[in-house]
Amino acid sequence: MTVIRNKLIEVSLPLDAINAAGAREKSIRHGHPSTLHLWWSRKPLAVARAVIFGQMVDDPSSVPEEFPAPEAQVVERERLFGILRELVLWENTGNEAVLEKARAEIRRSWRRACADNAGHPRAAELFDPERLPAFHDPFAGGGALPLEAQRLGLEAHASDLNPVAVLINKAMIEIPPKFAGRPPANPEAQEKLAGGAAWNGKGAEGLAADVRYYGKWMRDEAEKRIGRLYPKVEVTAAMTAERPDLAPYAGRKLTVIAWLWARTVRSPNPAFADVEVPLASSFVLSAKKGKEAYVEPVIEGRGYRFAVKVGTPPAGAKRGTSAGKRKAFKCLISGVPIPYDYIRTEGKRGRMHERLMAIVAEGMRGRLYLSPKSEQEAVVGMANPAWKPDCEMPKKHRNFQGPVYGLNNIGDLFTSRQLVALTTFSDLVGEAQKTIAKDALRAGLTSKGSSLAEGGTNARAYAQAVGVYLGLATSKLADLSNSLCRWEPIAQCPRNLFGRQAIPMIWDFAEGNPLGDRSGSWSVVVDGVGKAFSKAVGIVKPHWVGFAQQEDATTQSVSCDRVVSTDPPYYDNIGYADLSDFFYVWLRRSLRSVMPDIFGTVAAPKAAELIASPYRRGGTEAAERFFLDGMGQVISRIAEQAHPSFPVTIYYAFKQSETRQDGGTASTGWETFLEAVIRSGFAVNGTWPFRTENSSRLLGLGTNVLASSIVLICQRRSSDASLGTRRQFISNLRTELPDAVRLLQSGNIAPVDLAQAAIGPGMAVYTRYAKVLDASGEPMTVRDALALINQILDEVLAEQEGDFDAGSRWALTWFEECGFAEGEFGRAETLSKAKNTSIAGMMDAGILISQAGKVRLLSPQELPPDWDPRTESRPTSWKMVHHLIRVLETEGDEGAARLMQVMGSAADIARELCYRLYALADRKNRSAEAHTYNTLVRSWPLIAELVRSMESVQGKMLDLDGSPS
């Protein structure tokens, strides 16, 4: 039997610090691994790193031989929290000193596990103190989890059914260690080295340098072959006469950044049936202050032309020819409506075309917007693509709008010129590899050995490795070089197609110049790919190997004896296989010879993809059954195979809330997922809510969307688990949940996250039993168990009211009923007697005002700014909380710290009050008030740290004065 100690993640985490780091990371682009290649629903590295650290490091409470007293455990836990708070910061992603501290803690806990299990029958295999267990993620996706496991010193294994995901993971964890520390092989770098220059690059920086070098070669070669299709635009005298602002450019030929097109259909007005009119959602080109520009359509008889104007756009320019969501568009010439049904019919008949609206060129101080020129439009007709992707898109799927308008095939999403460019770059990937292999031989790599796919590290394998990143760059370029890219008038650049996990319909689109050096160009994309894997992957060591392979999660055996953390798909939220076909067709063309196994099929595998897709399964019920049966198989395999000393962590995201018959809310997806986990033999020992959205999305209108991901901490349930009764379950909940909640609060969990985090210890009680039987002898459902956990959590928070003073207890009850609105004096007076206080006394205490038979609590904004708790005759936790809120809003963290310092130890009770206030405001749907209390608790650690700094400075000043400190 395996001896298991509780891990940190099963007890407590500095959740707020992790969430803050994860949310911040969403705004970081340059050098982030996510910029290597797009993948949907990729988890922040900070969260992945924290979860893996937490599931591998012992909690101090499980190490009584070193930390026997609860006080010592608290101190040690805070030390580990300090490591975690440093570890999750983006600035420390490649900080070896910080990372090594984390690795040392992992190794320390591992040695304890090995000593505990020295007598295990498989000790030699499972518990070698000199070798950490390997890591596996069976739904590796974008690779955040395997990458962070590798960063923490583990051998990382990534598997996924989707070939695009497998390639991304190979590029993240498998290829960089193979060539770690090598200088670039390109002739330019080798010439410098031969001349005595030293190579100081770390990790995969040499590989990245070659990606940039040969990427530039590809760009130059592409310009020789297709440069004629991307001509410069000449500023003529006629143009400057119409636009005096163009005078400095007269006679010059400018590089085009983008061509802006509008789709067209024949006018539905019979009088203009021979005229193709534009479907333009906006005529605004630049909304940047001081540099505004727009398109003005000029009607000329039965036709029209587009003229670009500078200055503030007229009122209607923002709408283009749009007539509103329901009415779609209107005919530019006659004004008659152009409904969506008409556009769909025209599109399916092949009668939807494009017309050039404007040209964006490179000016001396930014973008120049020019009217369309006939020769610029005519050059597109010279593009004759030799190849076009042939891959059908789903015709009945909410996330694929193209087929409704006749764009049935992925190849239909590109203009002829874009197809020529992408095909050219795709073919150049293979040509570049031949040159790279020759250069690598000259740089000292051997000619002997196997290919990259076979694990080789010779010249051929190196050339293929560089080719993988160039192939990924070609695929990324496709995301920016298609006819579904918007023009962004504020950033003034093309936006990539995949702003979300869908292929929407775009009416006016931006065609970037892949041969330029601005947004949307090949050069920018290649540079981003190089930064993504060279800098952000961190210090890559050759012995930290990684492996990525294509496997079906329902049948895989890679998890055997490994630490498992995984982020599985969520029902039908994202159709990964259908979406990834957009990239797969280009990657297959570029890299089939490099990775023949994963690019052997015409499209990404879909039959076994584990999502609840109604259109693929023949209906919603069949799709849900397929998903749940498959997910049950996946979790059962993980439960059977995962290393016995570590919990398994599984990410889950809510799909939506549904109203129950009793008027409450529930998430069917969440409950059925928990049911699948429990049926698979797992006990759930914890649940942590992690936010993976930008900070602006952290608090929306409803709290159901605050935490985008829940991480379940699972351990194999004991084989001799007994049956339990509903009464036993409730009794144990009432015994164990209060301590668990206090521990969560002591870790400063945000009030908004408390209910989700409390599910963990609650489900730990529920899953302790083989089954919990209700009064009729039937097994209790997960839904009923969750309802009881929530009910008893409310009781726990209500019981904490006993720690508050009488005035605060009265204010809590009144707040639940009225908030900060007025209520009847009689009701308030009756309630005050029940709480052993009085209205007059609370008026003296400054909690409320009473006049004209009404009573109202004072809001934070109404409290006096000169309040000093040291002179307070009737101190209350209520006033402390709301004065802290007032000062935090007006003077920030430092002002709140000055006030908290004066409050002393009484502030701790005030923090507990915030949890209760948040719960009441949330229940009453008072989102603004809930936000206020949640913000104060989230700010508490920083405020407390400022208090400690102030006290330290004051102590030093006393020492300098010669006074006792």
Side-chain angles (χ1 to χ4, degrees):
M1 185 174 176
T2 308
V3 178
I4 301 172
R5 296 179 188 252
N6 281 345
K7 301 300 177 184
L8 190 63
I9 200 168
E10 296 177 281
V11 179
S12 187
L13 287 176
L15 188 66
D16 211 46
I18 299 167
N19 275 332
R24 180 186 167 223
E25 197 181 305
K26 284 287 181 178
S27 63
I28 295 168
R29 301 300 300 159
H30 295 293
H32 195 281
S34 65
T35 59
L36 177 69
H37 195 278
L38 183 141
W39 189 258
W40 304 270
S41 188
R42 189 193 300 257
K43 292 294 169 280
L45 304 181
V47 173
R49 202 178 311 146
V51 167
I52 296 168
F53 178 86
Q55 78 183 100
M56 297 198 72
V57 172
D58 295 333
D59 184 76
S61 63
S62 69
V63 194
E65 67 273 24
E66 295 180 40
F67 312 104
E71 295 79 10
Q73 293 169 12
V74 170
V75 171
E76 174 63 7
R77 191 176 292 118
E78 186 55 39
R79 186 185 72 83
L80 294 173
F81 282 2
I83 293 172
L84 255 177
R85 291 187 185 106
E86 279 191 299
L87 185 65
V88 297
L89 295 177
W90 169 253
E91 293 81 0
N92 291 334
T93 302
N95 186 325
E96 270 298 289
V98 172
L99 291 169
E100 189 50 39
K101 271 198 257 182
R103 294 174 197 138
E105 291 302 328
I106 290 172
R107 292 192 296 267
R108 184 181 176 194
S109 293
W110 174 240
R111 286 193 292 271
R112 284 195 201 107
C114 293
D116 291 342
N117 293 280
H120 194 283
R122 295 180 60 207
E125 300 170 65
L126 294 178
F127 297 101
D128 179 355
E130 300 304 317
R131 184 180 177 83
L132 286 168
F135 171 90
H136 179 228
D137 178 1
F139 291 104
L145 277 64
L147 176 64
E148 291 310 312
Q150 189 177 60
R151 201 190 305 277
L152 290 173
L154 306 182
E155 178 181 294
H157 292 257
S159 64
D160 203 294
L161 182 65
N162 192 295
V164 178
V166 175
L167 186 70
I168 292 171
N169 277 275
K170 282 183 177 293
M172 295 266 262
I173 66 168
E174 186 174 298
I175 296 174
K178 287 180 183 295
F179 304 102
R182 284 201 59 84
N186 69 76
E188 189 178 287
Q190 286 294 310
E191 186 177 345
K192 290 179 181 178
L193 291 171
W199 170 248
N200 297 316
K202 299 176 182 177
E205 289 180 7
L207 183 62
D210 276 338
V211 169
R212 286 188 285 269
Y213 178 90
Y214 294 103
K216 183 181 183 302
W217 175 86
M218 287 175 60
R219 186 256 173 226
D220 294 343
E221 193 63 29
E223 184 162 32
K224 294 175 188 175
R225 301 180 189 188
I226 60 172
R228 68 189 186 284
L229 298 178
Y230 295 92
K232 293 187 176 185
V233 58
E234 184 177 359
V235 179
T236 63
M239 292 168 67
T240 57
E242 190 175 330
R243 289 260 308 273
D245 61 297
L246 297 177
Y249 301 95
R252 291 179 57 182
K253 291 185 176 181
L254 307 177
T255 299
V256 176
I257 295 172
W259 294 263
L260 308 186
W261 303 83
R263 298 189 196 276
T264 63
V265 293
R266 294 188 305 177
S267 172
N269 186 333
F272 298 95
D274 58 334
V275 181
E276 291 198 355
V277 291
L279 308 174
S281 57
S282 175
F283 285 137
V284 176
L285 301 174
S286 172
K288 195 170 183 178
K289 193 172 182 180
K291 296 186 177 181
E292 294 89 350
Y294 60 96
V295 171
E296 181 181 81
V298 180
I299 308 298
E300 297 179 331
R302 292 176 54 81
Y304 63 93
R305 62 181 174 87
F306 292 122
V308 170
K309 304 288 184 180
V310 293
T312 304
K318 193 172 182 180
R319 294 193 306 272
T321 60
S322 173
K325 288 186 177 180
R326 293 184 179 275
K327 296 180 181 179
F329 295 89
K330 60 185 178 182
C331 174
L332 179 65
I333 297 176
S334 66
V336 302
I338 308 177
Y340 282 117
D341 284 345
Y342 177 83
I343 299 171
R344 292 182 187 115
T345 300
E346 290 294 285
K348 288 176 181 177
R349 291 177 178 173
R351 296 201 292 252
M352 187 160 59
H353 303 105
E354 303 89 30
R355 181 158 174 177
L356 189 61
M357 281 201 306
I359 299 168
V360 188
E362 245 182 82
M364 290 180 284
R365 296 182 181 177
R367 311 290 197 258
L368 277 182
Y369 295 90
L370 308 174
S371 299
K373 303 186 76 173
S374 57
E375 59 268 28
Q376 288 282 331
E377 195 162 8
V379 78
V380 177
M382 298 164 53
N384 295 306
W387 182 81
K388 180 179 179 180
D390 183 12
C391 185
E392 292 288 318
M393 290 186 288
K395 290 185 171 59
K396 294 183 179 180
H397 195 290
R398 66 181 185 275
N399 288 342
F400 294 84
Q401 296 179 10
V404 176
Y405 299 97
L407 305 179
N408 298 314
N409 198 294
I410 285 174
D412 297 334
L413 305 181
F414 303 91
T415 67
S416 296
R417 180 161 57 178
Q418 288 170 335
L419 287 171
V420 169
L422 288 168
T423 302
T424 299
F425 280 111
S426 180
D427 291 344
L428 282 168
V429 171
E431 293 182 34
Q433 289 178 52
K434 296 175 184 176
T435 302
I436 299 165
K438 293 175 184 176
D439 292 342
L441 274 173
R442 295 190 193 100
L445 274 78
T446 177
S447 61
K448 297 179 180 179
S450 53
S451 67
L452 181 67
E454 296 166 331
T457 55
N458 59 325
R460 177 189 175 200
Y462 184 78
Q464 291 176 333
V466 177
V468 164
Y469 296 104
L470 295 173
L472 285 165
T474 304
S475 181
K476 277 193 72 175
L477 184 64
D479 191 22
L480 281 159
S481 295
N482 60 79
S483 67
L484 298 177
C485 292
R486 298 178 185 274
W487 178 255
E488 173 51 64
I490 295 177
Q492 301 183 80
C493 64
R495 287 296 189 199
N496 60 313
L497 159 60
F498 287 106
R500 59 189 180 93
Q501 53 266 24
I503 296 182
M505 190 61 190
I506 302 297
W507 303 107
D508 41 295
F509 63 92
E511 181 187 10
N513 183 353
L515 302 180
D517 57 4
R518 294 289 185 267
S519 298
S521 71
W522 168 258
S523 298
V524 171
V525 170
V526 168
D527 186 60
V529 167
K531 288 177 180 175
F533 78 90
S534 67
K535 296 290 185 185
V537 168
I539 306 298
V540 180
K541 297 185 179 179
H543 61 279
W544 287 354
V545 294
F547 302 92
Q549 59 199 85
Q550 188 175 23
E551 293 283 351
D552 185 336
T554 61
T555 58
Q556 61 85 20
S557 57
V558 187
S559 295
C560 192
D561 299 334
R562 288 174 176 150
V563 180
V564 176
S565 183
T566 191
D567 179 20
Y570 314 128
Y571 276 76
D572 65 340
N573 282 16
I574 303 174
Y576 295 96
D578 287 318
L579 289 169
S580 64
D581 275 343
F582 178 89
F583 297 115
Y584 182 87
V585 293
W586 295 107
L587 289 168
R588 185 173 188 264
R589 180 176 175 85
S590 300
L591 299 174
R592 188 180 180 186
S593 62
V594 177
M595 299 285 174
D597 290 344
I598 64 172
F599 292 115
T601 55
V602 174
K606 298 177 181 63
E609 185 185 29
L610 197 50
I611 62 168
S613 180
Y615 93 91
R616 195 180 293 158
R617 302 295 164 195
T620 301
E621 287 186 16
E624 182 171 305
R625 190 165 56 250
F626 170 81
F627 175 80
L628 292 177
D629 289 348
M631 194 57 67
Q633 292 176 49
V634 170
I635 298 171
S636 293
R637 290 194 72 77
I638 294 173
E640 292 164 5
Q641 297 179 50
H643 197 289
S645 277
F646 300 94
V648 169
T649 52
I650 306 173
Y651 292 70
Y652 184 82
F654 287 113
K655 184 180 180 186
Q656 62 183 26
S657 286
E658 299 169 354
T659 303
R660 295 201 308 255
Q661 290 182 350
D662 62 6
T665 61
S667 170
T668 299
W670 169 232
E671 291 163 1
T672 49
F673 191 82
L674 270 176
E675 193 83 57
V677 169
I678 294 165
R679 281 202 312 263
S680 300
F682 271 132
V684 178
N685 289 352
T687 51
W688 292 101
F690 290 105
R691 301 187 199 101
T692 55
E693 300 300 320
N694 290 329
S695 56
S696 60
R697 298 267 321 266
L698 294 187
L699 282 165
L701 295 176
T703 57
N704 186 55
V705 295
L706 298 184
S708 60
S709 295
I710 306 297
V711 173
L712 282 73
I713 297 88
C714 308
Q715 281 277 17
R716 293 179 194 171
R717 187 166 53 248
S718 173
S719 58
D720 57 357
S722 61
L723 295 176
T725 64
R726 186 177 188 275
R727 178 176 294 180
Q728 287 174 312
F729 175 50
I730 293 173
S731 174
N732 287 333
L733 274 179
R734 288 195 169 122
T735 301
E736 299 178 29
L737 202 57
D739 287 341
V741 169
R742 287 191 191 94
L743 190 58
L744 289 168
Q745 290 174 331
S746 69
N748 209 69
I749 188 169
V752 68
D753 296 324
L754 182 62
Q756 285 298 336
I759 289 173
M763 291 306 295
V765 176
Y766 177 73
T767 55
R768 181 181 304 159
Y769 302 102
K771 289 179 183 177
V772 175
L773 305 178
D774 61 21
S776 65
E778 292 296 315
M780 180 187 290
T781 64
V782 167
R783 173 171 290 194
D784 289 340
L786 289 171
L788 283 170
I789 292 167
N790 286 328
Q791 175 188 320
I792 292 172
L793 174 62
D794 283 344
E795 293 176 10
V796 170
L797 294 175
E799 286 171 6
Q800 289 182 349
E801 291 183 21
D803 297 333
F804 307 142
D805 56 88
S808 296
R809 291 199 302 272
W810 178 89
L812 268 171
T813 306
W814 190 257
F815 177 78
E816 183 174 11
E817 291 185 15
C818 303
F820 290 105
E822 289 184 333
E824 297 295 329
F825 177 88
R827 167 67 183 138
E829 180 69 14
T830 302
L831 179 62
S832 70
K833 289 180 169 53
K835 300 291 183 182
N836 196 27
T837 185
S838 68
I839 297 300
M842 287 184 289
M843 284 183 66
D844 290 342
I847 290 177
L848 56 81
I849 57 173
S850 176
Q851 56 189 16
K854 300 289 184 180
V855 171
R856 178 172 63 81
L857 288 166
L858 291 168
S859 69
Q861 295 75 23
E862 296 176 289
L863 296 174
D866 58 349
W867 180 73
D868 187 341
R870 291 170 295 191
T871 61
E872 183 74 22
S873 59
R874 299 174 67 103
T876 67
S877 299
W878 179 272
K879 282 185 72 173
M880 291 182 184
V881 164
H882 292 88
H883 272 289
L884 279 170
I885 289 170
R886 173 186 62 79
V887 175
L888 184 63
E889 289 178 348
T890 56
E891 301 177 35
D893 296 321
E894 291 188 359
R898 288 190 292 270
L899 181 57
M900 187 183 287
Q901 184 184 21
V902 175
M903 289 180 180
S905 60
D908 292 336
I909 299 297
R911 188 175 67 127
E912 284 189 19
L913 179 59
C914 278
Y915 285 97
R916 185 64 178 148
L917 284 166
Y918 172 84
L920 296 177
D922 179 44
R923 185 184 303 151
K924 295 292 184 177
N925 293 319
R926 300 172 190 155
S927 58
E929 292 160 8
H931 174 51
T932 299
Y933 300 120
N934 190 65
T935 299
L936 178 56
V937 174
R938 291 187 62 202
S939 303
W940 207 276
L942 176 57
I943 297 170
E945 181 60 34
L946 289 171
V947 170
R948 287 190 289 272
S949 298
M950 291 174 184
E951 291 172 346
S952 175
V953 170
Q954 290 164 1
K956 289 176 182 177
M957 290 176 68
L958 283 171
D959 288 341
L960 289 171
D961 290 341
S963 306
S965 58

